Amino acid sequence: MLLLLYAFVFGASSANFSYADVLSMVLGWVPTSLVTPFIECNAMQLIFLGFIFGIGLLKLEPLGHRLLDVFEDVNSILLLAAEWFTRLLPALVF
């Protein structure tokens, strides 16, 4: 496991591979706070947060279904608002 912390370079080609670069990339996916991925629009950190949130919802079996229903209702409301906005957009432009 400690080999991941050191930079090992294999081969004599121009493309160098090091475990430290891979480890820093993977650790870059883990956000430092819950707000920064949304502010910086970091897609990998948002996917990581969604993955962790989804696992948490699966672990909360009875409460998870109620919370999932709330998110589905909010999604339906936001899709309806987006549909209304796109219908009114030509009137707002002209």
Side-chain angles (χ1 to χ4, degrees):
M1 219 36 207
L2 290 176
L3 291 176
L4 297 175
L5 301 176
Y6 297 104
F8 287 106
V9 179
F10 297 105
S13 68
S14 62
N16 293 333
F17 173 78
S18 68
Y19 286 112
D21 293 337
V22 173
L23 182 64
S24 67
M25 181 187 69
V26 171
L27 288 178
W29 296 345
V30 179
T32 55
S33 70
L34 293 176
V35 180
T36 53
F38 296 100
I39 293 173
E40 297 173 354
C41 296
N42 192 335
M44 289 307 294
Q45 289 181 354
L46 288 172
I47 291 170
F48 181 80
L49 282 178
F51 183 73
I52 297 299
F53 186 70
I55 290 174
L57 275 178
L58 287 175
K59 293 294 180 182
L60 297 172
E61 192 62 35
L63 180 64
H65 291 295
R66 285 185 262 157
L67 193 57
L68 187 62
D69 291 339
V70 169
F71 284 125
E72 286 177 355
D73 292 340
V74 169
N75 184 37
S76 298
I77 291 170
L78 290 176
L79 285 175
L80 184 63
E83 181 183 344
W84 289 348
F85 180 74
T86 55
R87 286 185 182 178
L88 291 175
L89 192 62
L92 295 174
V93 170
F94 296 112

